[in-house]
Amino acid sequence: MPTSWKVAGSYFEACNCDLACPCIFLSPPTSGDCTLLVAWHIDQGRFGQVNLDGFNTALAVYSPGHMQEVKWKVALYVDERADQDQRDALTQIFSGQAGGHLAGVVPLIGEVLGVKTAPIEYRSEGKRRSLRLGDVADAEIEGLPGQDGGDATIAGPPFTLVPAFPAVVAKSKQMRFSDYGLKWEVSKKNGFFSPFAYQSE
């Protein structure tokens, strides 16, 4: 029997597209390719009997063209505070191996550059989200002001890593990544953040 699991918490992403990223509407990236860094913070999570509360994971994605038409290169980073069972569980969930929503992303991936453990610092303060991934990456985004001071959101886009939650539209203060021969640094580009919830099917 496949292991039953459930994780929920907060999510954010930053990419090199202009606001709001056209990829989520099945259009080509703004500048021909897409460099994307995503992060998840788990508030509550279990994989079978393994407790995943409080851990972070991150995924770096390079898509050399339209995200639905080319194969991506990806690198997964798992919280170094996790023990071996927790690392294995996080890897299975966030690589899509354990099923759930992220399993639908697997056919789009052409090459897994690697899976590493790393110190991952995730912060959420008001409309700001930030990530520091050791000396490999850091990112900070801030939500755009919407009507009457609320959030500007996009609900129900056809392509998203986080279904069922409206995405708050944000702009990056900065987003830097350097690993596996990939290197990018952008600012004032697209970001999204939202709650997330995934579970085994």
Side-chain angles (χ1 to χ4, degrees):
M1 283 287 291
T3 303
S4 176
W5 58 269
K6 183 180 292 189
V7 288
S10 58
Y11 165 93
F12 89 88
E13 65 177 74
C15 75
N16 65 326
C17 286
D18 291 341
L19 281 66
C21 176
C23 301
I24 66 171
F25 300 110
L26 308 181
S27 294
T30 304
S31 59
D33 62 1
C34 191
T35 55
L36 173 68
L37 186 66
V38 304
W40 296 268
H41 172 74
I42 300 170
D43 290 320
Q44 297 96 30
R46 295 196 78 78
F47 186 87
Q49 299 304 308
V50 179
N51 183 2
L52 301 177
D53 292 2
F55 290 121
N56 303 309
T57 58
L59 184 72
V61 179
Y62 173 68
S63 173
H66 192 302
M67 297 192 82
Q68 302 289 315
E69 298 173 1
V70 300
K71 295 297 186 183
W72 310 351
K73 293 182 178 181
V74 302
L76 182 66
Y77 299 86
V78 175
D79 202 315
E80 70 174 11
R81 297 173 299 152
D83 65 25
Q84 192 59 56
D85 287 344
Q86 292 165 328
R87 290 176 184 179
D88 290 346
L90 292 168
T91 299
Q92 288 186 59
I93 290 169
F94 290 98
S95 69
Q97 297 172 30
H101 177 69
L102 293 179
V105 175
V106 173
L108 300 173
I109 296 170
E111 183 179 358
V112 177
L113 299 171
V115 179
K116 292 181 179 179
T117 57
I120 306 175
E121 300 173 41
Y122 184 106
R123 292 191 177 179
S124 170
E125 299 169 349
K127 290 181 180 291
R128 293 185 177 183
R129 302 289 183 275
S130 65
L131 169 76
R132 180 172 293 279
L133 180 58
D135 58 3
V136 168
D138 53 76
E140 183 181 355
I141 66 172
E142 184 169 0
L144 295 182
Q147 297 178 27
D148 301 320
D151 292 327
T153 61
I154 296 174
F159 181 56
T160 177
L161 291 179
V162 183
F165 295 97
V168 176
V169 181
K171 180 185 286 189
S172 60
K173 301 270 188 191
Q174 49 116 17
M175 188 265 280
R176 177 190 63 84
F177 176 81
S178 180
D179 205 3
Y180 296 106
L182 298 175
K183 187 170 185 176
W184 59 76
E185 190 162 349
V186 301
S187 61
K188 296 180 170 53
K189 294 295 185 178
N190 183 75
F192 294 120
F193 65 84
S194 71
F196 82 93
Y198 304 139
Q199 62 185 38
S200 49
E201 307 273 67

